[in-house]
């Protein structure tokens, strides 16, 4: 009798633990980070130099760039309603680079005629870079000073049309958790049945 009660208690604890863990499988809604695929820099004399793109860990920068009022302020009259932060990267140029410098960016999902803006952080403030041209998957942009971070601002509708927009949250249980939960229910049912049979006997 004691063993059956212990088994029942164990099954109940297991079921509760699984229920509490379900929330861990719900993801947030990430933005479309990952659009910057590569870059090259061309100085005024035509010399090409290497560019290093890196992930940005500064959450303050992300929060600021996700503020539509801030984007309107920096982008000015070129701002289009619905523009959002599409990608953010750290950028490192060689020490001997001469400004202004033109960056050729490989950008996934961007097409000729896309409504985009390119912002850069020069170590002090965010500024709007001058976009020279936009082609399929390629953006040429000029910087007047050394950028430490670059941000792609893109129309949200175009992002969705290009299938590179934000993703919906993944909610619910994974197959493994569902199987384990089903096993726990079966276990509890069996334990209760055995308990009742024991009591009748």
């Amino acid at each position: 009798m004691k063993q059956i009660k212990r088994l029942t208690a164990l099954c109940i604890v297991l079921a509760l633990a699984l229920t509490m863990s379900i929330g861990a499988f719900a993801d947030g809604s990430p933005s479309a980070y990952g659009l910057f695929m590569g870059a090259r820099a061309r100085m005024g004399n035509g010399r090409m130099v290497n560019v290093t793109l890196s992930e940005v860990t500064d959450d303050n920068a992300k929060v600021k760039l996700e503020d539509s009022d801030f984007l309107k302020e920096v982008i000015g009259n070129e701002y289009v309603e619905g523009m959002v932060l599409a990608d953010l990267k750290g950028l490192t140029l060689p020490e001997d680079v001469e400004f202004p410098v033109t960056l050729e960016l490989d950008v996934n999902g961007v097409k000729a005629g896309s409504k985009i803006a390119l912002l850069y952080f020069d170590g002090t403030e965010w500024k709007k870079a001058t976009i020279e041209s936009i082609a399929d998957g390629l953006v040429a942009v000029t910087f007047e000073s050394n950028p430490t971070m670059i941000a792609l601002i893109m129309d949200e509708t175009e992002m969705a049309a290009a299938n590179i927009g934000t993703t919906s949250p993944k909610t619910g249980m994974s197959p493994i958790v569902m199987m384990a939960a089903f096993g726990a229910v079966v276990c509890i049912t069996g334990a209760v049945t055995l308990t009742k049979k024991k009591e009748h006997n």
Side-chain angles (χ1 to χ4, degrees), residues 33-76:
Y33 288 6
L35 303 188
F36 286 130
M37 306 302 293
R40 300 157 299 281
R42 185 178 71 253
M43 295 192 297
N45 58 10
R47 183 166 73 92
M48 300 296 291
V49 294
N50 293 327
V51 177
T52 302
L53 298 178
S54 58
E55 296 301 319
V56 174
T57 57
D58 185 357
D59 290 335
N60 291 329
K62 296 177 183 178
V63 170
K64 181 172 286 189
L65 291 168
E66 287 171 352
D67 182 351
S68 59
D69 290 333
F70 178 76
L71 293 181
K72 291 176 183 178
E73 179 183 341
V74 178
I75 298 174

Side-chain angles (χ1 to χ4, degrees), residues 21 30 51-52 56 60 78 111 119 159 162 194:
S21 67
V51 177
T52 302
V56 174
N60 291 329
E78 293 182 17
K111 298 180 180 180
L119 306 184
M159 287 171 56
L194 286 173

Side-chain angles (χ1 to χ4, degrees), residues 38-42 48-51 93 102-106 138:
R40 300 157 299 281
R42 185 178 71 253
M48 300 296 291
V49 294
N50 293 327
V51 177
L93 293 168
T102 299
L103 219 63
E104 296 177 356
L105 293 161
D106 299 317
L138 183 65

Side-chain angles (χ1 to χ4, degrees), residues 8-198:
T8 304
L10 178 62
C11 290
I12 291 172
V13 170
L14 177 60
L16 288 173
L18 288 169
T19 302
M20 292 174 67
S21 67
I22 290 172
F25 290 88
D27 296 331
S29 299
S31 67
Y33 288 6
L35 303 188
F36 286 130
M37 306 302 293
R40 300 157 299 281
R42 185 178 71 253
M43 295 192 297
N45 58 10
R47 183 166 73 92
M48 300 296 291
V49 294
N50 293 327
V51 177
T52 302
L53 298 178
S54 58
E55 296 301 319
V56 174
T57 57
D58 185 357
D59 290 335
N60 291 329
K62 296 177 183 178
V63 170
K64 181 172 286 189
L65 291 168
E66 287 171 352
D67 182 351
S68 59
D69 290 333
F70 178 76
L71 293 181
K72 291 176 183 178
E73 179 183 341
V74 178
I75 298 174
N77 57 12
E78 293 182 17
Y79 177 84
V80 176
E81 201 64 40
M83 277 186 163
V84 294
L85 173 64
D87 202 356
L88 174 65
K89 283 286 187 290
L91 187 145
T92 304
L93 293 168
E95 294 183 358
D96 62 345
V97 70
E98 298 176 2
F99 294 93
V101 64
T102 299
L103 219 63
E104 296 177 356
L105 293 161
D106 299 317
V107 187
N108 185 31
V110 169
K111 298 180 180 180
S114 291
K115 298 173 184 177
I116 67 169
L118 230 300
L119 306 184
Y120 69 101
F121 189 71
D122 65 358
T124 304
E125 61 181 337
W126 283 97
K127 298 178 179 179
K128 180 170 64 69
T130 302
I131 295 178
E132 304 294 346
S133 62
I134 303 173
D136 290 356
L138 183 65
V139 177
V141 57
T142 298
F143 298 100
E144 299 295 335
S145 55
N146 192 13
T148 58
M149 291 185 285
I150 57 173
L152 173 65
I153 311 301
M154 191 174 183
D155 181 75
E156 192 172 23
T157 304
E158 290 192 32
M159 287 171 56
N163 196 30
I164 54 174
T166 55
T167 59
S168 300
K170 296 179 180 178
T171 56
M173 289 184 285
S174 70
I176 295 176
V177 176
M178 290 180 69
M179 289 174 64
F182 178 74
V185 171
V186 171
C187 182
I188 292 172
T189 303
V192 170
T193 302
L194 286 173
T195 301
K196 288 182 177 179
K197 284 184 178 180
K198 193 75 175 179

